[in-house]
């Protein structure tokens, strides 16, 4: 340890230190090297340098404690000089040393050294408090303390990460338990509502009761979907959402999914059409999650498409081998800010169409997580008042060889190998 090394903080106190404490500012680097007075002769300085060969420079301070300069070892004659006793320190000192306030952060000290006084990399710099001398700082001390700061920050980040993981696990466990407790009575309620709607025990004396039962069943299904989305999104946050990969017939899944939403779309005056090539290759994916992603995109498109609008479900194989499954609507479209909001959990676009529909804002964020879990991405192109195209892009390593789909025989493909566009509204 040289005279210019900064004092080491107590080892036990380091883990609890904070980034803004003196240990991680210039004040923590200040070594209280006894200063010289401007009127002293250089012989006294030479004697100090001879006794302490590690000293590159000595601070020069006036009677009020203010820094007036820095005397570098190299400014003295090599042998101390015969005239050293007659030359004052003020004649040989650097009157403009690098001064650093004690509150300056470590990173800023490094920038000042490089920009203002590169020579201070060798001679050191003076730490002051409003101009009054505190001590000498060196690059060696700066590097050592910066390493300690980096190590402490790494430990703090690691602890924060562990705390976040514990919180996410607790949240996931809570949602799983809550969903189980809700699903059990909810399933019974939905079952009884469907029995009442179908008048299994006999016709209702008042026909309106059948409509009430249907509303109860639909509300129950919506709540069940919300619970499932919440649980999946929570698992995705905790990196606990797993894929059950299999070979998927994309044409079959796309058409069946579109048919599932056809009735709901028709009630809102929206028509769903499909334009899917029959020779699409099989896809290695989780079929249930693929169906869930398509349902989310289609239902979102229907939600933001006005009466007499069209939602098109298409697919194509790109030149690089990636598979694109796209949902194109003729709806209201989104601005960049609205799109960013829609991709956040619970994000809702404020529009007349959105307020007229039931939604939670979980569909698109969950879809984005699910496609990323497959190694792909969600591609969105939207223009205000022109419509939106949302595409699931699967990487080439999940796409198999091309071949006819089992559904190809249900209709004669056109010249491009696309199933006839069919209305489902």
């Amino acid at each position: 340890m040289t005279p210019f090394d900064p004092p080491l903080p107590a080892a036990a106190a380091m883990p609890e230190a904070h980034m803004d404490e003196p240990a991680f500012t210039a004040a923590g680097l200040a070594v209280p090297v006894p200063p010289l007075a401007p009127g002293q002769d250089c012989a006294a300085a030479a004697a100090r340098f001879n006794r302490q060969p590690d000293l590159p420079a000595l601070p020069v301070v006036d009677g009020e404690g203010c820094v007036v300069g820095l005397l570098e070892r190299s400014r003295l004659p090599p042998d101390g000089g015969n005239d050293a006793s007659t030359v004052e320190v003020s004649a040989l000192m650097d009157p403009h040393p690098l001064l650093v306030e004690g509150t300056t952060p470590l990173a800023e000290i490094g920038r000042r050294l490089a920009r203002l006084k590169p020579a201070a990399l060798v001679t050191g710099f003076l730490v002051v408090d409003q101009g009054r001398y505190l001590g000498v700082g060196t690059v060696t001390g700066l590097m050592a303390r910066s390493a300690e700061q980096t190590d402490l920050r790494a430990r703090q980040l690691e602890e924060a990460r562990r705390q976040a993981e514990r919180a996410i696990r607790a949240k996931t466990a809570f949602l799983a338990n809550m969903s189980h407790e809700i699903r059990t009575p909810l399933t019974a309620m939905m079952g009884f509502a469907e029995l009442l709607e179908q008048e299994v025990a006999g016709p209702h004396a008042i026909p309106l009761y059948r409509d009430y039962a249907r509303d109860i069943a639909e509300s129950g299904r919506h709540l069940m979907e919300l619970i499932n989305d919440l649980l999946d999104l929570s698992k995705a946050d905790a990196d606990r959402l797993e894929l059950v990969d299999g070979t998927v017939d994309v044409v079959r899944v796309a058409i069946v999914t579109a048919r599932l939403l056809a009735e709901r779309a028709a009630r809102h005056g929206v028509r769903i059409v499909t334009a899917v090539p029959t020779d699409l290759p099989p896809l290695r994916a989780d079929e249930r999650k693929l169906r869930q992603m398509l349902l989310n995109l289609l239902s979102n498109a229907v939600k933001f498409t006005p009466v007499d609008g069209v939602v098109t479900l298409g697919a194509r194989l790109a030149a690089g081998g990636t598979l694109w499954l796209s949902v194109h609507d003729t709806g209201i479209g989104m601005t960049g800010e609205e799109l960013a909001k829609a991709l956040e959990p619970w994000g809702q676009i404020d529009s007349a169409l959105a307020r007229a529909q039931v939604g939670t804002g979980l569909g698109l964020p969950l879809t984005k997580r699910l496609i990323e879990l497959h190694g792909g991405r969600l591609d969105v192109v939207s223009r205000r008042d022109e419509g939106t195209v949302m595409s699931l892009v699967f990487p080439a390593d999940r796409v198999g060889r091309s071949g006819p789909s089992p559904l190809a025989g249900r209709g004669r493909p056109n010249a491009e190998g696309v199933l006839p566009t069919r209305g489902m509204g």
Side-chain angles (χ1 to χ4, degrees), residues 408-422:
R410 300 189 181 183
R412 179 172 297 177
N414 59 21
E416 288 77 26
V418 178
L419 281 174
T421 300
R422 66 194 71 184

Side-chain angles (χ1 to χ4, degrees), residues 20 22 24-28 100-106 108-109 127-129 134:
D20 56 351
F24 298 115
T25 59
V100 179
E101 282 290 331
T103 57
T104 306
L106 298 184
E108 177 61 24
I109 298 173
V127 183
V128 297
D129 180 13
L134 292 180

Side-chain angles (χ1 to χ4, degrees), residues 119-335:
L121 294 170
V122 177
T123 62
F125 52 91
L126 301 180
V127 183
V128 297
D129 180 13
Q130 297 181 353
R132 294 185 177 278
Y133 172 71
L134 292 180
V136 179
T138 65
V139 173
T140 302
L142 175 62
M143 293 174 61
R145 196 54 51 83
S146 296
E148 293 173 4
Q149 183 184 32
T150 301
D151 182 62
L152 176 60
R153 181 182 284 112
R155 293 199 301 270
Q156 290 174 335
L157 290 175
E158 177 64 20
E159 178 59 26
R161 184 187 64 80
R162 286 196 294 264
Q163 291 179 359
E165 288 180 349
R166 286 194 293 267
I168 290 174
R169 285 196 296 269
K171 180 185 70 174
T172 302
F174 167 75
L175 289 175
N177 293 334
M178 180 194 70
S179 65
H180 174 73
E181 295 298 327
I182 294 178
R183 285 183 193 187
T184 302
L186 182 59
T187 301
M189 291 166 57
M190 292 168 57
F192 285 124
E194 290 172 356
L195 289 176
L196 291 173
E197 179 187 359
Q198 297 168 10
E199 299 180 320
V200 173
H204 296 296
I206 301 177
L208 190 59
Y209 287 171
R210 184 172 57 252
D211 297 334
Y212 291 160
R214 180 171 59 251
D215 291 341
I216 294 173
E218 288 183 355
S219 298
R221 283 190 287 271
H222 171 69
L223 183 55
M224 187 69 78
E225 291 173 359
L226 171 59
I227 293 171
N228 291 336
D229 285 350
L230 268 173
L231 197 55
D232 285 344
L233 193 60
S234 179
K235 287 180 179 178
D237 286 338
D239 292 328
R240 294 177 57 185
L241 201 58
E242 298 179 354
L243 295 179
V244 181
D245 279 343
T247 302
V248 179
D249 181 355
V250 179
V251 179
R252 175 183 60 82
V253 172
I255 293 178
V256 170
T257 303
R259 285 176 177 166
L260 288 175
L261 278 178
E263 182 180 351
R264 182 191 303 178
R267 289 200 299 268
H268 297 290
V270 177
R271 188 162 55 96
I272 296 180
V273 300
T274 57
V276 183
T278 60
D279 60 348
L280 280 180
L283 180 67
R284 180 171 58 85
D286 186 321
E287 182 170 338
R288 187 184 72 83
K289 290 182 173 59
L290 173 60
R291 190 181 303 112
Q292 184 179 6
M293 288 187 286
L294 290 176
L295 282 172
N296 286 342
L297 294 185
L298 285 169
S299 61
N300 191 73
V302 170
K303 176 180 176 181
F304 290 101
T305 300
V307 176
D308 295 330
V310 178
V311 174
T312 304
L313 174 58
R316 66 182 177 90
L317 195 61
T322 57
L323 179 65
W324 290 60
L325 296 176
S326 302
V327 175
H328 180 198
D329 65 64
T330 58
I332 60 176
M334 291 180 286
T335 64

